[in-house]
Amino acid sequence: MSLPSFLRCLILAISLHCGLFPAHFVDAISLSSSGSSVSLDGIPYFIPPYSSGKLSLDEVDFSGCVSVNGMYPITLLSNVTAESDFKPLIESFMAQDDVFQTGFMQSMLNQKQILKFLSHIWQYC
Amino acid sequence: MLAHDAMASYGVMSMGTLDASASLPQGPYFISASTGEVYMAYRLYSDFQGSLTEALLALPDGNFTTLSAAIQGTASLTVGVPSRLYYSPSAEKPLDGVRFGIKDIYDIAGIRTGNGNRAFYNLYPPASVNSVVVQKLIDAGAVIVGKQKTSQFANGQSATADWVDYHSPFNARGDGYQDPSSSSAGAGSSIGSYPWLDIAVGSDTGGSIRGPSGVQGLFGNRPTHNAVELTGVMPLSPRLDTAGFLTRDPTIWTTAQEVLYGKPTTYNSYPSQILLYNYPTNASASPSNALALDFAAKLQSFLSANVSSVNLTTQWEMSRPANTTASLAGLLNLTYPVIISKQQTALVRDPFYASYGAIHDGRRPFVDPAPLTRWAYGDSLPATALDEALYNKTLFMNWFNTKVLTPDPVTCSNAFLLYIQSTGTSNARNRYLRYV
């Protein structure tokens, strides 16, 4: 570009830095989520803004599963190795808990004992 | 950085890190497919009975914040409850996952305590630590879902006109428009109405748990005075205040009491005497009479007990201490209002007025008529009135504990004393009461 227009760009850049957007204002801004509300099969749920842990999802395929804003309803399991174990387990979940619903059963993920990896993945979506 | 178990005790899972070692409890979650972050699922319910002042969300650092959600309803808060599947009661955490409501006179870290008064709520900053009562419950695994309405400064208020700063909660019993009693009004209302809520913490100074539990048909207890430390709780009268529960489930009730008061002394046999105080005698006179007499008969059968009526007035006449000539009514008829008004004006009203006036050009905060009337009564009495009232209370207490209901090394107490708390008579919330 020509020298005069380069100088114009330089002057504009300097005035932006010094005048319109002082650097010390940028640090003072804070923004955080208070969580989000969703509706799963017509039942209202709240998703808190802090997570409880992180899973490795290398072998999980969520395509075709219901989601909203990149969030998928799942069920985490422990020590479940066969689909044949599901029926009594789900029945006990339903009997014991008002929060668990069939909508969470699209992805049933059994965790390994350590390191939050998955040993078994069952998906119905 | 708190250990995983300590964080879990606040009703939340530990913050995820790549080298965290434990797997998460079974149950429903939401997962971000892009990050792999896993989030707890909270089901949302409407506080359609107006029992709560604030719905709470536990944070990983142990503080609480307002739960930010709203579902359809009319002038009603929305409450969120985490899945029960995340929690496993154990010896260390016997209340793990149990859903609690807390009367808004108990401090909860991160949340303002309002005591049923809007000016008070707005004047003071959020509590920095949990009250001792709340901390004990949280340490045992309790899930705190909200703060509950109290009549103002825990003084009794009748629905509806007495309730100025906050609308009185609704009582689900009868026609749905009965007084929920007070001062633990939100506690009684919520436990009587919400199957998703397990137990509420109230307080009882002169009946503030017994009243609401009685008219909502719940279990409720006023424990022995000093059964638990009341640090971080608004006082009405430190000499009479107690912390107790309202619940539908006697098993949870027992566990909660052991957590708060400690395991009781073990006694191997029950008293074999029942004392009836102001008890009905005619079962056909009313349905509640029939119920009360049927209960007494069942208890008598269970204990193989002797049953007798106790008349405190005549018994006092016969055996009162030598240093008093007063009748029972003469000794006690003003004791309670003197004690609570004198103690609360000194401990709550005076510092409140001073702090409020300091930033509002000497003006006074708004206070509902009921506590205002109580405080004015206390102001009208000399300073010596409190000492006299406490003296009379102590005189009666010592007499009662030696002549009526006495400790027993084998059965804990010499007798069960039964009196009727609520007879189910109508007390409508839409009546205007005549000022007398």
Side-chain angles (χ1 to χ4, degrees), chain A residues 77-122:
Chain A
L77 304 168
S78 305
N79 304 317
V80 176
T81 54
E83 210 175 12
S84 52
D85 295 335
F86 279 6
K87 191 163 179 297
L89 189 66
I90 300 305
E91 279 170 3
S92 79
F93 283 0
M94 297 289 219
Q96 188 188 341
D97 188 31
D98 56 338
V99 179
F100 183 84
Q101 302 292 335
T102 54
F104 289 98
M105 291 170 60
Q106 280 206 309
S107 300
M108 310 276 283
L109 312 175
N110 189 68
Q111 308 166 85
K112 289 185 173 172
Q113 296 285 1
I114 56 170
L115 291 181
K116 295 203 178 70
F117 289 101
L118 302 172
S119 72
H120 294 73
I121 298 164
W122 295 277

Side-chain angles (χ1 to χ4, degrees), chain A residues 11-119:
Chain A
I11 292 163
L12 182 62
I14 292 168
S15 54
L16 281 171
H17 177 77
C18 296
L20 294 178
F21 298 105
H24 65 272
F25 278 179
V26 177
D27 293 338
I29 298 172
S30 76
L31 177 64
S32 61
S33 170
S34 310
S36 60
S37 298
V38 299
S39 179
L40 177 62
D41 289 338
I43 294 168
Y45 286 89
F46 173 77
I47 305 175
Y50 50 82
S51 92
S52 299
K54 191 162 169 160
L55 275 184
S56 166
L57 294 177
D58 290 343
E59 289 153 39
V60 183
D61 178 13
F62 282 114
S63 59
C65 300
V66 298
S67 72
V68 63
N69 294 335
M71 289 284 205
Y72 293 80
I74 62 168
T75 300
L76 288 184
L77 304 168
S78 305
N79 304 317
V80 176
T81 54
E83 210 175 12
S84 52
D85 295 335
F86 279 6
K87 191 163 179 297
L89 189 66
I90 300 305
E91 279 170 3
S92 79
F93 283 0
M94 297 289 219
Q96 188 188 341
D97 188 31
D98 56 338
V99 179
F100 183 84
Q101 302 292 335
T102 54
F104 289 98
M105 291 170 60
Q106 280 206 309
S107 300
M108 310 276 283
L109 312 175
N110 189 68
Q111 308 166 85
K112 289 185 173 172
Q113 296 285 1
I114 56 170
L115 291 181
K116 295 203 178 70
F117 289 101
L118 302 172
S119 72

Side-chain angles (χ1 to χ4, degrees), chain B residues 280-306:
Chain B
T281 51
N282 183 355
S284 53
S286 72
S288 68
N289 276 14
L291 285 168
L293 288 163
D294 182 58
F295 175 79
K298 284 181 170 134
L299 186 64
Q300 176 179 18
S301 170
F302 176 74
L303 298 172
S304 300
N306 298 318

